[in-house]
Amino acid sequence: MSDIIELKIPDIGNVAEVEVIEVSIQPGDVVEIEQSLLVMETDKASMELPAIAAGTIQDVSVKVGDKVSEGTIIATLLMSAAEENDSSEEPVKINEADESKEKVVTEKKQGVAAAPKNEASAVEETEVNNNTAHAAPGVRRFARELGADLSQIQSGSGRKGRILKADVKSFVKQALSTKKVSHNVGSGIPALPVIDFSLFGEIEEKPLTKIKRLTGKRLSCNWLNLPMVTQHEEADITEMEAFRKALNIEQVAAKQIKVTPLAFIIKAVLAAMKVYPQFNSSLSPDGERLIYKKYFNIGIAVDTPNGLVVPVIKDADQQSILELVDSMRTLSAKAREGKLLASDMQGGCFTISSLGGIGGTGFTPIVNAPEVAILGVAKAAMKPIWNGKDFDPKLMLPLDLTYDHRVIDGADGARFVVTIAKYLQDVRRLLL
Ligand code: CAO
């Protein structure tokens, strides 16, 4: 008696021919009994062909696209020793495999794979519903065993996007290496699909810096917790810039200090915060009270090679323009050298994010909670401004104020940013 058996297509009911849509074996594969060897498809159903014996595949004689019918030899198998003994009386049972066939036929209409009778108890299944995925029953079963949600695999690598076992494996591998963002847990927010980008081309993975990871969590938390509105304004800083340039000629000559527009913007923000104290407040944790601060600490977003940090200028209202320039210079140098202490970044009341040195016409910054507002500053540009008779060339500075709408009303948001613009338009007002 030979220990090599032929694996044949069993009785497939009233269908003359079916198309092979997936071949899961190749020569040399060791297969277990019941393991899916191939998948066939008719107009109405897809069928899996399970192995009726365990052993090693010797030869595969069908390929995807072939039409097969009852009796077609699909492979030869060298049976393993145990199987040989068990199967000595009935070497090939495919054509008696009505029971197996019943198990694997999937009515497309229902999209439900009939599982082997003992499977539910043998496998601890997850709640994942994979029934409608474009995948063979065995692949769906495999996914269920691993707890993989096939609906998250956008397209499989099989014919017509069919999901194969290899796709499930790479999906699970990717999911295991991707930590779920903690804010998604229990928040009711659906998780983003996990995509294996390597399916589409070459990729390279690099870990995020610690700063980026921390900032990312904080920004996501703020974004999800605060109802934010951004109010836009433009400040005419033509005169302020003329003054700043004149100042810089003296300062550079005397002290090597360069005054940038940001020092004036900090001054203007501080003055506006004194007029509108709700911008220097925080909501109590129960959301019932406003905590007003009597100190004025201003956070400045600083771009560093490792990511965004926000050092805080303490008691900024006690500092002159030149002292503010000095504080900024010290803190931003410390930030870029990675030498900021935790205390340098604590106690902020209001944050300014200035991208004006880089460019852009405006953006929508995210409030640095528990602060209630943030001012974004974009690049100043010369614009023709109508004076009632003519257009005057004016240097206009875009300001973007984002506020927590639970604390700040829209009208106050507009008043606050208009006040900042007024101070910047005529910096002499800052003396009042
Ligand atoms: N419009 C036009 N020019 C501007 C400007 C503006 N709004 N703001 C600054 N500039 C000019 C400055 O005058 C300076 O010009 P010169 O070199 O000719 O003197 C140049 O841009 C560079 O300024 P700077 O960026 O070095 O200095 P700054 O005081 O404006 O900003 C700092 C300091 C630390 C805030 C800045 O370097 C920085 O890191 N900005 C990025 C902040 C960031 O990443 N924010 C994003 C947070 S996401 O919400």
Side-chain angles (χ1 to χ4, degrees):
M1 184 201 64
S2 167
D3 49 6
I4 295 185
I5 58 170
E6 288 176 334
L7 303 175
K8 296 178 187 167
I9 300 294
D11 173 9
I12 44 179
N14 294 332
V15 189
E17 267 192 342
V18 288
E19 188 180 346
V20 175
I21 58 161
E22 192 182 321
V23 177
S24 320
I25 44 164
Q26 55 185 14
D29 280 359
V30 176
V31 297
E32 300 293 329
I33 194 157
E34 290 279 330
Q35 182 176 329
S36 171
L37 304 174
L38 54 78
V39 183
M40 301 161 284
E41 194 172 59
T42 66
D43 292 347
K44 295 198 187 98
S46 45
M47 288 166 265
E48 251 183 296
L49 182 67
I52 46 101
T56 308
I57 298 293
Q58 301 297 293
D59 191 34
V60 178
S61 38
V62 288
K63 56 183 187 319
V64 170
D66 283 358
K67 298 270 198 290
V68 292
S69 53
E70 183 180 349
T72 305
I73 297 168
I74 63 124
T76 52
L77 175 102
L78 173 62
M79 287 200 294
S80 59
E83 286 294 326
E84 253 180 84
N85 296 336
D86 291 351
S87 326
S88 53
E89 286 177 11
E90 297 177 34
V92 181
K93 287 199 140 200
I94 293 180
N95 57 4
E96 293 172 22
D98 282 4
E99 195 192 327
S100 316
K101 189 181 68 188
E102 207 176 284
K103 281 193 274 190
V104 296
V105 170
T106 302
E107 286 303 327
K108 275 187 176 174
K109 208 168 51 183
Q110 296 172 346
V112 178
K117 281 171 190 129
N118 60 353
E119 190 186 5
S121 54
V123 178
E124 193 183 323
E125 294 190 8
T126 67
E127 291 302 312
V128 171
N129 179 1
N130 287 326
N131 290 343
T132 54
H134 185 33
V139 174
R140 284 203 285 268
R141 209 158 45 227
F142 180 59
R144 272 202 306 278
E145 287 173 22
L146 298 179
D149 178 1
L150 290 185
S151 68
Q152 290 195 35
I153 302 179
Q154 293 193 329
S155 177
S157 49
R159 213 163 63 99
K160 294 183 190 162
R162 194 174 185 85
I163 299 168
L164 308 181
K165 257 190 185 173
D167 299 317
V168 178
K169 282 184 194 164
S170 89
F171 170 77
V172 170
K173 204 170 131 202
Q174 172 90 6
L176 288 175
S177 63
T178 309
K179 281 187 195 154
K180 275 201 172 168
V181 182
S182 58
H183 68 249
N184 278 353
V185 176
S187 61
I189 296 168
L192 292 168
V194 178
I195 296 186
D196 179 2
F197 300 103
S198 66
L199 291 173
F200 311 108
E202 198 189 341
I203 57 165
E204 185 190 355
E205 276 187 29
K206 287 184 183 173
L208 287 178
T209 63
K210 195 176 166 203
I211 290 181
K212 271 204 181 296
R213 277 183 280 131
L214 291 174
T215 314
K217 273 192 188 157
R218 184 106 189 250
L219 290 171
S220 306
C221 173
N222 295 348
W223 178 267
L224 290 166
N225 281 295
L226 274 56
M228 289 184 271
V229 175
T230 303
Q231 171 78 43
H232 308 286
E233 173 61 314
E234 279 188 324
D236 174 357
I237 57 165
T238 318
E239 288 181 16
M240 185 196 96
E241 274 300 90
F243 174 53
R244 187 181 72 84
K245 283 191 177 138
L247 199 62
N248 268 345
I249 293 170
E250 294 166 22
Q251 286 304 316
V252 171
K255 285 202 200 162
Q256 302 293 314
I257 278 191
K258 190 177 74 177
V259 181
T260 63
L262 193 50
F264 290 93
I265 296 165
I266 297 173
K267 271 280 174 209
V269 165
L270 287 163
M273 283 167 83
K274 292 202 167 161
V275 180
Y276 299 101
Q278 64 270 44
F279 284 85
N280 193 13
S281 73
S282 286
L283 206 52
S284 63
D286 60 7
E288 302 279 324
R289 285 157 294 123
L290 260 194
I291 302 162
Y292 288 90
K293 295 152 205 171
K294 306 290 179 190
Y295 51 86
F296 292 79
N297 297 340
I298 301 293
I300 302 292
V302 176
D303 175 38
T304 78
N306 288 327
L308 175 72
V309 286
V310 185
V312 173
I313 304 174
K314 305 273 161 52
D315 296 320
D317 61 325
Q318 310 291 316
Q319 301 185 27
S320 68
I321 295 251
L322 296 183
E323 284 166 341
L324 285 173
V325 170
D326 205 36
S327 296
M328 269 194 296
R329 203 169 54 160
T330 309
L331 285 172
S332 58
K334 250 175 134 179
R336 288 185 176 127
E337 288 159 19
K339 291 187 180 157
L340 284 178
L341 305 172
S343 58
D344 289 325
M345 293 179 278
Q346 288 166 351
C349 303
F350 183 98
T351 297
I352 302 176
S353 174
S354 172
L355 292 172
I358 301 169
T361 55
F363 61 108
T364 51
I366 298 172
V367 172
N368 190 11
E371 296 168 19
V372 294
I374 181 170
L375 183 72
V377 182
K379 191 177 177 65
M382 289 301 292
K383 291 193 177 172
I385 301 295
W386 184 248
N387 64 14
K389 251 170 74 187
D390 299 303
F391 284 103
D392 288 333
K394 296 283 185 192
L395 185 61
M396 303 303 288
L397 177 72
L399 302 172
D400 307 299
L401 176 81
T402 302
Y403 53 85
D404 179 346
H405 212 344
R406 294 172 304 171
V407 177
I408 310 289
D409 292 336
D412 284 345
R415 285 187 194 106
F416 184 74
V417 77
V418 165
T419 303
I420 296 173
K422 224 191 297 176
Y423 283 123
L424 291 174
Q425 184 168 348
D426 186 350
V427 290
R428 291 171 305 180
R429 288 176 186 275
L430 291 169
L431 299 172
L432 299 176

